Amino acid sequence: MRPRKLYAGVKLRETRQRIGLTQKDFAARLGVSLPYLNQMENNNRPVSTTVVLALAQEFGFDVTELGTGEAERMVSDMREALADPVFAAPPDMAELRLVASSAPALARAFLELHGAYRQTHERLASLDEALGRDDAQTQQSPWTEVRDFFHYCDNYIDAVDRAAERFGAGSGPAQIRAVEELGRIGITVVNSDDGPLRRLDRSSGILHLSARAEPQTRSFQMLLQLALLTQDKLLEATLDLARFQSDEARSIAKIGLANYYAGAALMPYTAFLNAARECRHDLEILAHRFGASIEQVCHRLSTLQRPGAKGIPFFFVRVDQAGTITKRHSATRMQFARYGGACPLWNVHRAFETPGRFLRQLAETPDGVRYINLARDVSKPGGHFGAPVRRFAIALGCEVKHAPALVYADTLDLSSAGAFEPIGISCRICERTDCHQRSIPPLERRLTIRPDARGVLPYEVG
């Protein structure tokens, strides 16, 4: 594949403004002419290798931030939105990249508008339920708004992460110090045989945790409650910056930030990053060392995007048995469907067939990027006979160029093109013409229908 030209005008302009330099002074520091800098900032020219090196040498800039992040996610999200049948002729990829890099606010507004359209359309589809309700709105759903907040923050919240790291870096296990810290503010932790997973009785000062939950889950819930009680000002300040559209979204996001704090306190950034590199990202070793679950470790690995101290860019998702994505985040170029299920060729769906085992997969997306994927089932027992068991599958992956840093890549044949399975994002926007698992035709291709012939599909994709 030919290397893609790097257009990062918005990021370049933001960097200059943050440093407080004029275009003339910034151009001089970078060793380019003023007109050339102006063209790069307006995405009329790609960012040159000379400028990339100068950014690193002159300003200590993490140049990986130029090629990843919000623009790639916006391109993926816009492409999926434009695959909606309501759009007859979607723009090509070059136009989408230009909008995402040059006008990110416009791209975000378009995504919000499409989200509102979809929500309204879904309400109309069940009109009997919507009639007579006073809360019908066309704005983005609170849950989706919060999901997108974390999505476009790279799932890394610096102030919350650093506050949790300060707590987690103390002496002794984080779980024991959480009990001690809660005790200092008048809260007693009690394991209860009945009741919900976590319940704080403020009148008695007792935090009830389910004795039937796994130890890792109880530790996490203690730290979550500690965040809500001791980090309220920090959480509220972060929420103020996010400017959510509704009180519901703000409330959901606050719980999300408390969850973030709990994971970061249980697995402090620097210590966890160093441990992950040392054991080559062995999930079981990390889970044992930090007293966390496999799912918690996978989620934490996907958040290691601190500027100047980034870990491997991972994607992390969780799906249910119907294939619906219930958690998703990607610090890689691979983005997941905002609506509907994931590609059926992805190994995460096979994890339900082999409980308790890690499944490895080498995969290639339609854009030619290759990944190493890891999948495993996760069961959440009800705690007593007859209680329902919640079953999910989780997946963690990264681009194959990071394979030497992963213990799971050992013995895999990374040099063979045939070892990489073709996977996609969703059928409507997938460009593959020969996929045997395709559920619906791709939007941007013409179809040929042959009444007297039938292959795997009832049509041929042009």
Side-chain angles (χ1 to χ4, degrees):
M1 292 181 60
R2 295 174 58 186
R4 184 186 298 170
K5 293 181 179 179
L6 177 60
Y7 290 90
V10 173
K11 183 70 71 173
L12 199 62
R13 184 164 56 251
E14 288 176 352
T15 301
R16 174 176 61 80
Q17 293 172 345
R18 186 173 67 250
I19 297 170
L21 295 178
T22 64
Q23 275 195 329
K24 181 178 180 181
D25 293 338
F26 195 47
R29 294 281 295 274
L30 295 177
V32 297
S33 66
L34 179 58
Y36 188 71
L37 174 62
N38 185 270
Q39 288 179 317
M40 284 191 293
E41 286 195 358
N42 288 285
N43 284 318
N44 294 323
R45 284 198 178 187
V47 178
S48 66
T49 304
T50 302
V51 170
V52 171
L53 293 175
L55 283 169
Q57 294 171 355
E58 288 287 326
F59 305 105
F61 185 77
D62 185 355
V63 296
T64 61
E65 294 183 20
L66 290 174
T68 59
E70 185 175 16
E72 287 291 340
R73 278 185 283 279
M74 279 190 174
V75 168
S76 177
D77 291 346
M78 284 194 296
R79 190 161 179 245
E80 184 183 0
L82 288 163
D84 192 307
V86 71
F87 299 107
D92 59 29
M93 289 295 290
E95 291 179 286
L96 293 180
R97 291 193 180 100
L98 182 61
V99 172
S101 59
S102 301
L106 177 63
R108 192 176 292 108
F110 164 74
L111 290 172
E112 291 176 356
L113 180 62
H114 180 258
Y117 157 76
R118 279 189 61 93
Q119 190 169 13
T120 303
H121 183 75
E122 290 167 1
R123 281 199 174 96
L124 290 174
S126 55
L127 189 58
D128 57 330
E129 180 182 347
L131 281 175
R133 290 175 56 179
D134 296 329
D135 61 345
Q137 302 173 2
T138 58
Q139 68 182 30
Q140 191 178 33
S141 74
W143 191 263
T144 301
E145 189 181 1
V146 173
R147 180 194 66 184
D148 287 350
F149 164 71
F150 284 99
H151 183 57
Y152 287 113
C153 286
D154 254 354
N155 204 27
Y156 175 76
I157 313 297
D158 188 71
V160 178
D161 204 299
R162 291 183 185 274
E165 183 175 30
R166 287 191 292 271
F167 174 84
S171 59
Q175 301 91 324
I176 295 177
R177 283 184 290 108
V179 174
E180 295 173 348
E181 186 65 24
L182 287 167
R184 275 194 283 270
I185 59 175
I187 303 297
T188 302
V189 180
V190 174
N191 292 331
S192 303
D193 288 328
D194 54 3
L197 183 62
R198 170 178 55 88
R199 180 176 64 86
L200 175 62
D201 186 336
R202 292 180 181 266
S203 61
S204 64
I206 297 178
L207 174 61
H208 297 270
L209 300 175
S210 173
R212 295 169 178 166
E214 296 293 326
Q216 302 94 328
T217 301
R218 290 200 299 271
S219 298
F220 190 90
Q221 292 299 320
M222 265 197 301
L223 290 164
L224 189 159
Q225 191 68 63
L226 182 67
L228 292 172
L229 293 171
T230 65
Q231 303 294 324
D232 186 69
K233 289 184 179 179
L234 173 61
L235 301 184
E236 288 293 335
T238 305
L239 294 169
D240 288 341
L241 293 173
R243 298 179 180 177
F244 289 106
Q245 298 180 29
S246 67
D247 292 339
E248 291 88 347
R250 187 183 177 101
S251 297
I252 294 170
K254 188 169 186 176
I255 298 299
L257 291 174
N259 273 274
Y260 187 103
Y261 180 95
L266 191 62
M267 295 164 277
Y269 195 101
T270 303
F272 185 76
L273 176 61
N274 291 337
R277 288 171 173 170
E278 178 188 334
C279 71
R280 297 180 62 214
H281 299 84
D282 189 310
L283 302 181
E284 291 171 294
I285 290 178
L286 291 171
H288 176 74
R289 184 174 300 182
F290 289 91
S293 68
I294 295 293
E295 181 178 348
Q296 290 166 357
V297 167
C298 290
H299 200 160
R300 184 57 170 151
L301 284 171
S302 74
T303 68
L304 300 182
Q305 295 300 298
R306 180 178 292 178
K310 290 188 175 184
I312 291 176
F314 281 106
F315 66 75
F316 165 69
V317 294
R318 189 182 73 180
V319 303
D320 62 19
Q321 293 183 87
T324 304
I325 297 175
T326 60
K327 285 184 181 180
R328 71 179 183 99
H329 172 66
S330 179
T332 71
R333 283 179 280 181
M334 187 178 195
Q335 303 302 323
F336 302 99
R338 294 164 62 86
Y339 312 104
C343 174
L345 299 179
W346 195 21
N347 70 334
V348 69
H349 304 293
R350 297 198 293 271
F352 292 109
E353 303 169 8
T354 56
R357 290 177 51 195
F358 286 104
L359 297 182
R360 301 180 297 172
Q361 179 186 40
L362 297 176
E364 182 175 341
T365 49
D367 57 2
V369 182
R370 293 177 173 177
Y371 297 88
I372 176 171
N373 303 335
L374 191 68
R376 178 173 169 162
D377 77 306
V378 174
S379 295
K380 299 179 183 292
H384 61 86
F385 179 76
V389 177
R390 301 171 63 211
R391 297 193 66 201
F392 300 96
I394 57 175
L396 184 76
C398 64
E399 292 188 25
V400 76
K401 64 183 179 182
H402 300 293
L406 303 181
V407 66
Y408 302 100
D410 294 351
T411 73
L412 294 179
D413 185 3
L414 305 179
S415 62
S416 172
F420 291 83
E421 297 182 57
I423 64 172
I425 304 302
S426 69
C427 289
R428 190 174 291 280
I429 61 174
C430 183
E431 300 173 357
R432 302 191 190 281
T433 61
D434 56 352
C435 178
H436 62 283
Q437 284 289 149
R438 179 175 288 283
S439 59
I440 55 175
L443 183 66
E444 300 177 15
R445 298 296 185 93
R446 291 185 176 276
L447 303 182
T448 300
I449 312 299
R450 303 186 186 279
D452 297 327
R454 165 67 195 255
V456 175
L457 301 173
Y459 50 81
E460 294 178 6
V461 180

mmCIF file of all heavy atoms in Angstrom, residues 8-30 34 37-38 41-42 55 59 61:
data_model
loop_
_atom_site.group_PDB
_atom_site.id
_atom_site.type_symbol
_atom_site.label_atom_id
_atom_site.label_comp_id
_atom_site.label_asym_id
_atom_site.label_seq_id
_atom_site.Cartn_x
_atom_site.Cartn_y
_atom_site.Cartn_z
ATOM 1 N N ALA A 8 -3.141 17.311 8.587
ATOM 2 C CA ALA A 8 -3.432 17.524 10.011
ATOM 3 C C ALA A 8 -3.426 19.009 10.333
ATOM 4 O O ALA A 8 -2.839 19.455 11.310
ATOM 5 C CB ALA A 8 -2.415 16.784 10.873
ATOM 6 N N GLY A 9 -4.115 19.781 9.483
ATOM 7 C CA GLY A 9 -4.104 21.228 9.647
ATOM 8 C C GLY A 9 -4.674 21.703 10.966
ATOM 9 O O GLY A 9 -4.124 22.603 11.603
ATOM 10 N N VAL A 10 -5.792 21.100 11.386
ATOM 11 C CA VAL A 10 -6.412 21.521 12.637
ATOM 12 C C VAL A 10 -5.483 21.265 13.810
ATOM 13 O O VAL A 10 -5.285 22.126 14.679
ATOM 14 C CB VAL A 10 -7.751 20.781 12.841
ATOM 15 C CG1 VAL A 10 -8.326 21.081 14.216
ATOM 16 C CG2 VAL A 10 -8.754 21.185 11.760
ATOM 17 N N LYS A 11 -4.877 20.080 13.855
ATOM 18 C CA LYS A 11 -3.959 19.746 14.946
ATOM 19 C C LYS A 11 -2.728 20.657 14.933
ATOM 20 O O LYS A 11 -2.245 21.089 15.978
ATOM 21 C CB LYS A 11 -3.547 18.283 14.836
ATOM 22 C CG LYS A 11 -2.635 17.796 15.958
ATOM 23 C CD LYS A 11 -3.379 17.713 17.285
ATOM 24 C CE LYS A 11 -4.367 16.586 17.301
ATOM 25 N NZ LYS A 11 -4.967 16.400 18.642
ATOM 26 N N LEU A 12 -2.235 20.973 13.741
ATOM 27 C CA LEU A 12 -1.073 21.854 13.618
ATOM 28 C C LEU A 12 -1.411 23.255 14.123
ATOM 29 O O LEU A 12 -0.639 23.871 14.866
ATOM 30 C CB LEU A 12 -0.635 21.902 12.148
ATOM 31 C CG LEU A 12 0.785 22.373 11.842
ATOM 32 C CD1 LEU A 12 1.808 21.436 12.473
ATOM 33 C CD2 LEU A 12 0.999 22.439 10.336
ATOM 34 N N ARG A 13 -2.580 23.754 13.755
ATOM 35 C CA ARG A 13 -2.997 25.086 14.188
ATOM 36 C C ARG A 13 -3.230 25.123 15.696
ATOM 37 O O ARG A 13 -2.848 26.081 16.378
ATOM 38 C CB ARG A 13 -4.259 25.501 13.425
ATOM 39 C CG ARG A 13 -4.733 26.908 13.724
ATOM 40 C CD ARG A 13 -5.731 27.402 12.693
ATOM 41 N NE ARG A 13 -6.875 26.520 12.548
ATOM 42 C CZ ARG A 13 -7.116 25.742 11.492
ATOM 43 N NH1 ARG A 13 -6.267 25.735 10.469
ATOM 44 N NH2 ARG A 13 -8.184 24.980 11.436
ATOM 45 N N GLU A 14 -3.862 24.072 16.233
ATOM 46 C CA GLU A 14 -4.088 24.007 17.677
ATOM 47 C C GLU A 14 -2.774 23.993 18.442
ATOM 48 O O GLU A 14 -2.644 24.627 19.501
ATOM 49 C CB GLU A 14 -4.900 22.758 18.015
ATOM 50 C CG GLU A 14 -6.357 22.839 17.601
ATOM 51 C CD GLU A 14 -7.103 21.538 17.882
ATOM 52 O OE1 GLU A 14 -6.435 20.544 18.248
ATOM 53 O OE2 GLU A 14 -8.343 21.519 17.741
ATOM 54 N N THR A 15 -1.779 23.286 17.913
ATOM 55 C CA THR A 15 -0.465 23.233 18.560
ATOM 56 C C THR A 15 0.173 24.618 18.590
ATOM 57 O O THR A 15 0.706 25.057 19.616
ATOM 58 C CB THR A 15 0.454 22.251 17.807
ATOM 59 O OG1 THR A 15 -0.155 20.955 17.809
ATOM 60 C CG2 THR A 15 1.824 22.181 18.465
ATOM 61 N N ARG A 16 0.116 25.327 17.474
ATOM 62 C CA ARG A 16 0.706 26.675 17.406
ATOM 63 C C ARG A 16 0.009 27.619 18.385
ATOM 64 O O ARG A 16 0.679 28.395 19.099
ATOM 65 C CB ARG A 16 0.593 27.218 15.975
ATOM 66 C CG ARG A 16 1.041 28.668 15.845
ATOM 67 C CD ARG A 16 1.014 29.146 14.409
ATOM 68 N NE ARG A 16 -0.307 29.088 13.821
ATOM 69 C CZ ARG A 16 -1.256 29.998 14.022
ATOM 70 N NH1 ARG A 16 -1.028 31.020 14.838
ATOM 71 N NH2 ARG A 16 -2.423 29.897 13.428
ATOM 72 N N GLN A 17 -1.309 27.567 18.426
ATOM 73 C CA GLN A 17 -2.054 28.452 19.313
ATOM 74 C C GLN A 17 -1.812 28.120 20.780
ATOM 75 O O GLN A 17 -1.758 29.023 21.618
ATOM 76 C CB GLN A 17 -3.540 28.372 18.975
ATOM 77 C CG GLN A 17 -3.884 28.952 17.606
ATOM 78 C CD GLN A 17 -5.320 28.688 17.187
ATOM 79 O OE1 GLN A 17 -5.997 27.846 17.772
ATOM 80 N NE2 GLN A 17 -5.788 29.402 16.159
ATOM 81 N N ARG A 18 -1.650 26.838 21.093
ATOM 82 C CA ARG A 18 -1.383 26.448 22.477
ATOM 83 C C ARG A 18 -0.022 26.959 22.929
ATOM 84 O O ARG A 18 0.152 27.381 24.080
ATOM 85 C CB ARG A 18 -1.452 24.923 22.607
ATOM 86 C CG ARG A 18 -1.321 24.436 24.040
ATOM 87 C CD ARG A 18 -1.554 22.939 24.177
ATOM 88 N NE ARG A 18 -0.530 22.147 23.527
ATOM 89 C CZ ARG A 18 -0.709 21.427 22.434
ATOM 90 N NH1 ARG A 18 -1.901 21.380 21.865
ATOM 91 N NH2 ARG A 18 0.279 20.726 21.905
ATOM 92 N N ILE A 19 0.956 26.936 22.023
ATOM 93 C CA ILE A 19 2.295 27.425 22.355
ATOM 94 C C ILE A 19 2.315 28.949 22.433
ATOM 95 O O ILE A 19 3.128 29.544 23.143
ATOM 96 C CB ILE A 19 3.315 26.923 21.303
ATOM 97 C CG1 ILE A 19 3.378 25.388 21.332
ATOM 98 C CG2 ILE A 19 4.708 27.480 21.557
ATOM 99 C CD1 ILE A 19 4.164 24.805 20.183
ATOM 100 N N GLY A 20 1.395 29.600 21.699
ATOM 101 C CA GLY A 20 1.315 31.055 21.732
ATOM 102 C C GLY A 20 2.204 31.741 20.707
ATOM 103 O O GLY A 20 2.693 32.849 20.950
ATOM 104 N N LEU A 21 2.395 31.098 19.541
ATOM 105 C CA LEU A 21 3.237 31.669 18.498
ATOM 106 C C LEU A 21 2.398 32.157 17.332
ATOM 107 O O LEU A 21 1.334 31.606 17.037
ATOM 108 C CB LEU A 21 4.254 30.634 17.987
ATOM 109 C CG LEU A 21 5.314 30.142 18.970
ATOM 110 C CD1 LEU A 21 6.194 29.085 18.307
ATOM 111 C CD2 LEU A 21 6.174 31.299 19.481
ATOM 112 N N THR A 22 2.884 33.196 16.655
ATOM 113 C CA THR A 22 2.253 33.631 15.412
ATOM 114 C C THR A 22 2.640 32.663 14.309
ATOM 115 O O THR A 22 3.572 31.861 14.454
ATOM 116 C CB THR A 22 2.726 35.038 15.029
ATOM 117 O OG1 THR A 22 4.146 35.001 14.761
ATOM 118 C CG2 THR A 22 2.450 36.027 16.148
ATOM 119 N N GLN A 23 1.929 32.736 13.192
ATOM 120 C CA GLN A 23 2.273 31.868 12.064
ATOM 121 C C GLN A 23 3.714 32.122 11.598
ATOM 122 O O GLN A 23 4.438 31.176 11.270
ATOM 123 C CB GLN A 23 1.304 32.095 10.898
ATOM 124 C CG GLN A 23 0.023 31.287 10.982
ATOM 125 C CD GLN A 23 -0.717 31.262 9.659
ATOM 126 O OE1 GLN A 23 -0.656 32.223 8.869
ATOM 127 N NE2 GLN A 23 -1.428 30.179 9.396
ATOM 128 N N LYS A 24 4.121 33.384 11.603
ATOM 129 C CA LYS A 24 5.465 33.724 11.146
ATOM 130 C C LYS A 24 6.522 33.094 12.041
ATOM 131 O O LYS A 24 7.487 32.480 11.564
ATOM 132 C CB LYS A 24 5.630 35.249 11.115
ATOM 133 C CG LYS A 24 6.996 35.702 10.629
ATOM 134 C CD LYS A 24 7.079 37.226 10.576
ATOM 135 C CE LYS A 24 8.458 37.674 10.086
ATOM 136 N NZ LYS A 24 8.550 39.159 10.051
ATOM 137 N N ASP A 25 6.365 33.231 13.357
ATOM 138 C CA ASP A 25 7.345 32.667 14.294
ATOM 139 C C ASP A 25 7.315 31.137 14.278
ATOM 140 O O ASP A 25 8.357 30.483 14.360
ATOM 141 C CB ASP A 25 7.066 33.170 15.711
ATOM 142 C CG ASP A 25 7.326 34.662 15.850
ATOM 143 O OD1 ASP A 25 8.090 35.201 15.031
ATOM 144 O OD2 ASP A 25 6.750 35.278 16.764
ATOM 145 N N PHE A 26 6.113 30.569 14.162
ATOM 146 C CA PHE A 26 5.982 29.114 14.139
ATOM 147 C C PHE A 26 6.654 28.550 12.889
ATOM 148 O O PHE A 26 7.367 27.528 12.949
ATOM 149 C CB PHE A 26 4.496 28.746 14.167
ATOM 150 C CG PHE A 26 4.229 27.307 14.500
ATOM 151 C CD1 PHE A 26 4.860 26.680 15.566
ATOM 152 C CD2 PHE A 26 3.314 26.577 13.755
ATOM 153 C CE1 PHE A 26 4.589 25.356 15.883
ATOM 154 C CE2 PHE A 26 3.034 25.258 14.057
ATOM 155 C CZ PHE A 26 3.671 24.645 15.123
ATOM 156 N N ALA A 27 6.457 29.219 11.742
ATOM 157 C CA ALA A 27 7.081 28.776 10.496
ATOM 158 C C ALA A 27 8.606 28.818 10.607
ATOM 159 O O ALA A 27 9.308 27.906 10.145
ATOM 160 C CB ALA A 27 6.607 29.645 9.335
ATOM 161 N N ALA A 28 9.116 29.879 11.246
ATOM 162 C CA ALA A 28 10.571 29.994 11.401
ATOM 163 C C ALA A 28 11.123 28.875 12.276
ATOM 164 O O ALA A 28 12.175 28.292 11.981
ATOM 165 C CB ALA A 28 10.909 31.361 12.004
ATOM 166 N N ARG A 29 10.426 28.541 13.358
ATOM 167 C CA ARG A 29 10.879 27.465 14.241
ATOM 168 C C ARG A 29 10.844 26.108 13.531
ATOM 169 O O ARG A 29 11.655 25.216 13.809
ATOM 170 C CB ARG A 29 10.004 27.419 15.496
ATOM 171 C CG ARG A 29 10.117 28.643 16.400
ATOM 172 C CD ARG A 29 11.371 28.591 17.273
ATOM 173 N NE ARG A 29 11.338 27.482 18.220
ATOM 174 C CZ ARG A 29 10.766 27.538 19.417
ATOM 175 N NH1 ARG A 29 10.129 28.649 19.798
ATOM 176 N NH2 ARG A 29 10.819 26.503 20.245
ATOM 177 N N LEU A 30 9.872 25.944 12.617
ATOM 178 C CA LEU A 30 9.744 24.672 11.898
ATOM 179 C C LEU A 30 10.637 24.597 10.665
ATOM 180 O O LEU A 30 10.762 23.532 10.050
ATOM 181 C CB LEU A 30 8.290 24.449 11.472
ATOM 182 C CG LEU A 30 7.261 24.275 12.599
ATOM 183 C CD1 LEU A 30 5.863 24.145 12.018
ATOM 184 C CD2 LEU A 30 7.586 23.057 13.451
ATOM 185 N N LEU A 34 6.324 30.943 5.461
ATOM 186 C CA LEU A 34 5.015 31.311 5.992
ATOM 187 C C LEU A 34 3.878 30.824 5.081
ATOM 188 O O LEU A 34 2.908 30.251 5.570
ATOM 189 C CB LEU A 34 4.936 32.826 6.195
ATOM 190 C CG LEU A 34 3.601 33.375 6.722
ATOM 191 C CD1 LEU A 34 3.246 32.747 8.056
ATOM 192 C CD2 LEU A 34 3.670 34.905 6.846
ATOM 193 N N LEU A 37 3.398 27.049 5.595
ATOM 194 C CA LEU A 37 2.719 26.735 6.856
ATOM 195 C C LEU A 37 1.230 27.026 6.736
ATOM 196 O O LEU A 37 0.395 26.237 7.201
ATOM 197 C CB LEU A 37 3.326 27.552 7.999
ATOM 198 C CG LEU A 37 2.598 27.428 9.349
ATOM 199 C CD1 LEU A 37 2.642 25.985 9.857
ATOM 200 C CD2 LEU A 37 3.203 28.373 10.385
ATOM 201 N N ASN A 38 0.896 28.151 6.119
ATOM 202 C CA ASN A 38 -0.510 28.512 5.951
ATOM 203 C C ASN A 38 -1.256 27.451 5.152
ATOM 204 O O ASN A 38 -2.397 27.087 5.479
ATOM 205 C CB ASN A 38 -0.618 29.873 5.259
ATOM 206 C CG ASN A 38 -2.061 30.349 5.165
ATOM 207 O OD1 ASN A 38 -2.747 30.067 4.188
ATOM 208 N ND2 ASN A 38 -2.513 31.077 6.172
ATOM 209 N N GLU A 41 -1.791 24.379 7.408
ATOM 210 C CA GLU A 41 -2.825 24.593 8.421
ATOM 211 C C GLU A 41 -4.221 24.565 7.822
ATOM 212 O O GLU A 41 -5.193 24.270 8.516
ATOM 213 C CB GLU A 41 -2.592 25.920 9.149
ATOM 214 C CG GLU A 41 -1.427 25.891 10.124
ATOM 215 C CD GLU A 41 -1.436 27.075 11.079
ATOM 216 O OE1 GLU A 41 -2.338 27.938 10.937
ATOM 217 O OE2 GLU A 41 -0.558 27.136 11.957
ATOM 218 N N ASN A 42 -4.330 24.879 6.522
ATOM 219 C CA ASN A 42 -5.633 24.866 5.860
ATOM 220 C C ASN A 42 -5.850 23.593 5.043
ATOM 221 O O ASN A 42 -6.787 23.519 4.242
ATOM 222 C CB ASN A 42 -5.773 26.091 4.949
ATOM 223 C CG ASN A 42 -5.958 27.379 5.740
ATOM 224 O OD1 ASN A 42 -7.029 27.637 6.275
ATOM 225 N ND2 ASN A 42 -4.895 28.173 5.839
ATOM 226 N N LEU A 55 8.636 19.353 14.787
ATOM 227 C CA LEU A 55 7.686 19.380 15.897
ATOM 228 C C LEU A 55 8.207 18.579 17.078
ATOM 229 O O LEU A 55 8.086 18.989 18.237
ATOM 230 C CB LEU A 55 6.338 18.810 15.443
ATOM 231 C CG LEU A 55 5.448 19.723 14.593
ATOM 232 C CD1 LEU A 55 4.295 18.928 14.006
ATOM 233 C CD2 LEU A 55 4.919 20.887 15.418
ATOM 234 N N PHE A 59 9.621 21.177 19.909
ATOM 235 C CA PHE A 59 8.560 21.344 20.895
ATOM 236 C C PHE A 59 8.267 20.087 21.702
ATOM 237 O O PHE A 59 7.374 20.088 22.546
ATOM 238 C CB PHE A 59 7.268 21.809 20.203
ATOM 239 C CG PHE A 59 7.445 23.055 19.377
ATOM 240 C CD1 PHE A 59 7.489 22.982 17.991
ATOM 241 C CD2 PHE A 59 7.598 24.299 19.980
ATOM 242 C CE1 PHE A 59 7.650 24.125 17.222
ATOM 243 C CE2 PHE A 59 7.760 25.444 19.219
ATOM 244 C CZ PHE A 59 7.802 25.360 17.836
ATOM 245 N N PHE A 61 6.845 17.483 20.694
ATOM 246 C CA PHE A 61 5.476 17.090 20.356
ATOM 247 C C PHE A 61 5.414 15.595 20.047
ATOM 248 O O PHE A 61 6.292 15.052 19.368
ATOM 249 C CB PHE A 61 5.010 17.892 19.135
ATOM 250 C CG PHE A 61 3.577 17.661 18.749
ATOM 251 C CD1 PHE A 61 2.552 18.238 19.466
ATOM 252 C CD2 PHE A 61 3.256 16.863 17.661
ATOM 253 C CE1 PHE A 61 1.228 18.041 19.113
ATOM 254 C CE2 PHE A 61 1.944 16.658 17.299
ATOM 255 C CZ PHE A 61 0.930 17.249 18.027
#
